[in-house]
Protein backbone atom coordinates (compact mmCIF):
# COMPACT_ATOMS: atom_id res chain seq x y z
CA UNK A 1 0.00 0.00 0.00
CA UNK A 2 2.82 2.41 0.92
CA UNK A 3 4.48 1.75 -2.44
CA UNK A 4 1.28 2.65 -4.30
CA UNK A 5 0.88 5.89 -2.33
CA UNK A 6 4.46 6.96 -3.04
CA UNK A 7 4.18 6.15 -6.73
CA UNK A 8 0.88 8.07 -6.93
CA UNK A 9 2.31 11.12 -5.14
CA UNK A 10 5.42 11.07 -7.33
CA UNK A 11 3.34 10.88 -10.50
CA UNK A 12 1.10 13.72 -9.27
CA UNK A 13 4.10 15.93 -8.51
CA UNK A 14 5.64 15.29 -11.91
CA UNK A 15 2.37 16.01 -13.70
CA UNK A 16 2.09 19.30 -11.83
CA UNK A 17 5.68 20.24 -12.60
CA UNK A 18 6.56 20.21 -8.90
CA UNK A 19 9.85 18.91 -7.47
CA UNK A 20 9.70 15.46 -5.90
CA UNK A 21 9.58 15.42 -2.12
CA UNK A 22 12.53 13.29 -1.15
CA UNK A 23 12.38 10.82 1.72
CA UNK A 24 15.39 10.47 4.01
CA UNK A 25 18.23 8.78 2.10
CA UNK A 26 18.55 5.11 3.05
CA UNK A 27 21.67 3.57 4.51
CA UNK A 28 23.70 1.05 2.49
CA UNK A 29 21.74 -2.18 2.79
CA UNK A 30 19.07 -0.57 4.96
CA UNK A 31 20.49 -1.97 8.21
CA UNK A 32 23.81 -1.99 10.04
CA UNK A 33 24.50 -5.68 9.53
CA UNK A 34 23.38 -7.87 6.64
CA UNK A 35 24.29 -10.77 4.38
CA UNK A 36 23.04 -11.27 0.82
CA UNK A 37 23.92 -12.90 -2.49
CA UNK A 38 24.57 -10.51 -5.37
CA UNK A 39 24.12 -11.09 -9.09
CA UNK A 40 27.07 -9.07 -10.33
CA UNK A 41 27.70 -7.59 -13.77
CA UNK A 42 31.43 -6.96 -14.21
CA UNK A 43 32.52 -4.22 -16.62
CA UNK A 44 35.96 -5.44 -17.66
CA UNK A 45 36.03 -8.07 -18.93
CA UNK A 46 32.28 -8.05 -19.37
CA UNK A 47 30.97 -11.03 -17.42
CA UNK A 48 28.49 -12.05 -14.74
CA UNK A 49 28.61 -14.19 -11.62
CA UNK A 50 26.93 -14.44 -8.20
CA UNK A 51 28.94 -13.68 -5.08
CA UNK A 52 28.09 -13.79 -1.37
CA UNK A 53 28.36 -10.48 0.47
CA UNK A 54 28.57 -9.77 4.21
CA UNK A 55 28.59 -6.24 5.63
CA UNK A 56 28.66 -4.47 9.02
CA UNK A 57 28.54 -0.68 8.69
CA UNK A 58 29.39 0.08 12.32
CA UNK A 59 32.60 -1.97 12.05
CA UNK A 60 33.46 -0.58 8.60
CA UNK A 61 34.00 -4.15 7.47
CA UNK A 62 32.72 -6.45 4.73
CA UNK A 63 33.46 -9.70 2.94
CA UNK A 64 33.06 -10.82 -0.69
CA UNK A 65 33.10 -14.53 -1.57
CA UNK A 66 33.63 -14.94 -5.32
CA UNK A 67 33.29 -18.42 -6.84
CA UNK A 68 35.26 -19.41 -9.91
CA UNK A 69 35.36 -18.19 -12.58
CA UNK A 70 35.61 -14.58 -11.41
CA UNK A 71 37.26 -11.38 -12.64
CA UNK A 72 37.09 -9.28 -9.49
CA UNK A 73 39.34 -6.22 -9.57
CA UNK A 74 40.50 -6.73 -5.97
CA UNK A 75 41.34 -10.39 -6.56
CA UNK A 76 43.36 -9.31 -9.59
CA UNK A 77 45.70 -7.37 -7.29
CA UNK A 78 46.97 -10.61 -5.74
CA UNK A 79 50.48 -11.72 -6.77
CA UNK A 80 50.98 -14.26 -9.54
CA UNK A 81 49.83 -16.97 -10.04
CA UNK A 82 46.69 -16.01 -8.11
CA UNK A 83 45.68 -12.56 -9.33
CA UNK A 84 45.99 -13.42 -13.01
CA UNK A 85 44.03 -16.68 -12.79
CA UNK A 86 40.27 -16.17 -13.10
CA UNK A 87 39.66 -19.91 -12.65
CA UNK A 88 40.37 -19.63 -8.92
CA UNK A 89 37.74 -18.79 -6.31
CA UNK A 90 38.68 -15.69 -4.31
CA UNK A 91 37.53 -14.10 -1.06
CA UNK A 92 38.13 -10.42 -0.31
CA UNK A 93 37.87 -9.22 3.29
CA UNK A 94 37.85 -5.55 4.24
CA UNK A 95 38.60 -6.40 7.84
CA UNK A 96 37.93 -4.64 11.13
CA UNK A 97 41.62 -3.60 11.34
CA UNK A 98 41.25 -1.32 8.28
CA UNK A 99 43.18 -3.58 5.87
CA UNK A 100 41.97 -5.69 2.96
CA UNK A 101 42.94 -9.35 2.67
CA UNK A 102 42.92 -11.55 -0.43
CA UNK A 103 42.26 -15.25 0.08
CA UNK A 104 42.36 -18.12 -2.41
CA UNK A 105 40.85 -20.99 -0.40
CA UNK A 106 41.64 -23.85 -2.78
CA UNK A 107 45.34 -22.99 -2.53
CA UNK A 108 45.27 -22.11 1.19
CA UNK A 109 46.79 -18.74 0.24
CA UNK A 110 46.17 -15.39 1.93
CA UNK A 111 47.91 -12.02 1.77
CA UNK A 112 47.40 -8.56 3.30
CA UNK A 113 46.76 -6.09 0.49
CA UNK A 114 46.08 -2.39 1.24
CA UNK A 115 44.65 0.05 3.77
CA UNK A 116 43.31 2.90 1.62
CA UNK A 117 40.08 1.58 0.02
CA UNK A 118 37.89 0.48 2.92
CA UNK A 119 34.42 -1.05 3.03
CA UNK A 120 31.38 0.67 1.57
CA UNK A 121 30.29 3.30 4.07
CA UNK A 122 26.86 2.71 5.52
CA UNK A 123 26.08 6.44 5.37
CA UNK A 124 27.46 7.19 1.93
CA UNK A 125 24.08 8.49 0.70
CA UNK A 126 23.32 10.27 3.97
CA UNK A 127 26.43 12.46 4.29
CA UNK A 128 25.41 14.88 1.54
CA UNK A 129 25.29 15.09 -2.24
CA UNK A 130 22.62 12.46 -2.86
CA UNK A 131 19.74 13.26 -5.23
CA UNK A 132 16.34 11.58 -5.08
CA UNK A 133 15.13 10.42 -8.50
CA UNK A 134 11.70 9.14 -7.50
CA UNK A 135 10.59 5.53 -7.67
CA UNK A 136 11.20 2.70 -10.12
CA UNK A 137 10.31 -0.95 -10.41
CA UNK A 138 13.46 -3.09 -10.27
CA UNK A 139 13.18 -6.86 -10.63
CA UNK A 140 9.52 -6.56 -9.67
CA UNK A 141 10.27 -4.51 -6.52
CA UNK A 142 8.98 -0.94 -6.09
CA UNK A 143 12.10 0.98 -5.16
CA UNK A 144 13.46 4.36 -4.18
CA UNK A 145 16.04 5.59 -6.73
CA UNK A 146 18.97 7.71 -5.57
CA UNK A 147 22.03 9.05 -7.38
CA UNK A 148 25.30 10.44 -6.06
CA UNK A 149 28.37 11.55 -7.96
CA UNK A 150 31.56 9.69 -7.15
CA UNK A 151 34.26 8.80 -9.63
CA UNK A 152 31.23 7.94 -11.77
CA UNK A 153 27.53 8.66 -11.21
CA UNK A 154 26.32 6.06 -8.71
CA UNK A 155 22.74 4.78 -8.79
CA UNK A 156 21.29 3.09 -5.70
CA UNK A 157 17.86 1.50 -5.44
CA UNK A 158 16.36 0.44 -2.12
CA UNK A 159 13.01 -0.98 -1.15
CA UNK A 160 10.36 1.70 -0.68
CA UNK A 161 10.83 1.64 3.10
CA UNK A 162 14.64 1.79 2.69
CA UNK A 163 15.08 -1.43 4.66
CA UNK A 164 16.60 -3.58 1.88
CA UNK A 165 19.01 -2.99 -1.00
CA UNK A 166 17.67 -3.73 -4.47
CA UNK A 167 20.28 -2.57 -7.01
CA UNK A 168 23.49 -0.55 -7.27
CA UNK A 169 25.07 0.45 -10.57
CA UNK A 170 27.32 2.88 -12.37
CA UNK A 171 28.65 3.32 -15.91
CA UNK A 172 32.30 2.46 -15.46
CA UNK A 173 35.36 3.74 -17.27
CA UNK A 174 35.76 5.84 -20.42
CA UNK A 175 33.59 3.37 -22.35
CA UNK A 176 30.76 3.81 -19.80
CA UNK A 177 30.41 0.05 -19.34
CA UNK A 178 27.74 -1.17 -16.93
CA UNK A 179 28.92 -2.27 -13.49
CA UNK A 180 25.93 -3.52 -11.50
CA UNK A 181 24.92 -5.28 -8.30
CA UNK A 182 21.48 -6.90 -8.27
CA UNK A 183 20.77 -7.90 -4.68
CA UNK A 184 18.99 -11.27 -4.47
CA UNK A 185 16.39 -10.39 -1.86
CA UNK A 186 15.34 -13.98 -1.23
CA UNK A 187 18.80 -14.46 0.31
CA UNK A 188 18.83 -11.23 2.35
CA UNK A 189 19.39 -11.68 6.10
CA UNK A 190 19.87 -8.89 8.62
CA UNK A 191 21.18 -8.78 12.17
CA UNK A 192 22.83 -12.21 12.34
CA UNK A 193 26.04 -12.57 14.36
CA UNK A 194 26.99 -15.71 12.45
CA UNK A 195 29.54 -14.04 10.18
CA UNK A 196 31.11 -11.51 12.59
CA UNK A 197 34.33 -13.48 13.03
CA UNK A 198 34.77 -13.74 9.25
CA UNK A 199 35.38 -9.97 9.18
CA UNK A 200 38.31 -10.10 11.59
CA UNK A 201 41.79 -9.97 10.03
CA UNK A 202 42.82 -13.52 9.01
CA UNK A 203 45.81 -14.97 10.81
CA UNK A 204 49.18 -15.62 9.17
CA UNK A 205 48.70 -13.41 6.12
CA UNK A 206 51.92 -11.78 4.93
CA UNK A 207 51.91 -8.53 2.94
CA UNK A 208 50.98 -9.11 -0.69
CA UNK A 209 53.71 -8.70 -3.26
CA UNK A 210 53.04 -6.69 -6.40
CA UNK A 211 50.22 -4.24 -7.17
CA UNK A 212 48.73 -4.00 -3.67
CA UNK A 213 51.73 -1.94 -2.55
CA UNK A 214 50.57 0.92 -4.80
CA UNK A 215 47.48 1.44 -2.61
CA UNK A 216 49.00 1.39 0.88
CA UNK A 217 49.07 4.48 3.06
Amino acid sequence: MLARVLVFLGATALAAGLPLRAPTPPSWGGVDKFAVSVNFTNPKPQSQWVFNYYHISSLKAERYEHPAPQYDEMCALAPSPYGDDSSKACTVVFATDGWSYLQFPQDNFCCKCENSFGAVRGDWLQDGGADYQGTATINGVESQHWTKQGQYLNHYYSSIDGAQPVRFNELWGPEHTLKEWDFMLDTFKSGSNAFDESLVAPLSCALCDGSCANFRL
Side-chain angles (χ1 to χ4, degrees):
M1 180 65 182
L2 176 60
R4 293 175 184 166
V5 171
L6 288 174
V7 171
F8 172 76
L9 291 176
T12 301
L14 287 174
L18 300 174
L20 290 173
R21 175 177 291 181
T24 301
S27 62
W28 175 250
V31 290
D32 177 59
K33 178 187 298 188
F34 65 96
V36 67
S37 295
V38 176
N39 188 5
F40 179 60
T41 300
N42 189 63
K44 187 177 181 179
Q46 294 184 17
S47 51
Q48 284 187 311
W49 66 89
V50 173
F51 66 83
N52 294 325
Y53 179 64
Y54 308 84
H55 178 90
I56 303 180
S57 289
S58 58
L59 297 182
K60 300 178 181 178
E62 61 190 11
R63 178 184 181 92
Y64 302 70
E65 295 177 347
H66 298 285
Q70 53 77 27
Y71 301 91
D72 181 68
E73 57 190 335
M74 282 295 298
C75 297
L77 295 177
S80 183
Y82 305 103
D84 52 8
D85 188 350
S86 62
S87 70
K88 294 181 180 294
C90 170
T91 296
V92 179
V93 182
F94 290 92
T96 54
D97 66 350
W99 284 80
S100 64
Y101 295 81
L102 309 179
Q103 300 173 306
F104 291 81
Q106 68 196 63
D107 297 292
N108 198 30
F109 176 82
C110 173
C111 67
K112 185 176 181 178
C113 183
E114 53 72 45
N115 61 345
S116 64
F117 295 158
V120 178
R121 286 178 44 190
D123 65 350
W124 73 279
L125 281 175
Q126 299 169 332
D127 68 350
D131 293 313
Y132 181 59
Q133 303 295 334
T135 61
T137 302
I138 304 296
N139 297 329
V141 179
E142 285 295 328
S143 307
Q144 299 181 30
H145 178 197
W146 293 84
T147 57
K148 183 173 181 177
Q149 188 68 49
Q151 183 180 7
Y152 310 110
L153 184 63
N154 298 297
H155 295 257
Y156 181 71
Y157 301 82
S158 75
S159 56
I160 285 292
D161 61 4
Q164 291 184 318
V166 178
R167 172 178 287 174
F168 168 81
N169 66 31
E170 62 185 3
L171 296 178
W172 187 87
E175 296 85 12
H176 299 100
T177 308
L178 180 66
K179 179 179 183 179
E180 185 165 81
W181 298 33
D182 271 325
F183 296 89
M184 302 169 69
L185 296 184
D186 59 335
T187 69
F188 182 85
K189 296 179 181 178
S190 63
S192 171
N193 295 322
F195 62 86
D196 288 21
E197 291 187 5
S198 72
L199 300 181
V200 175
L203 298 176
S204 304
C205 293
L207 282 174
C208 300
D209 296 329
S211 299
C212 284
N214 298 328
F215 304 102
R216 293 177 192 145
L217 298 178

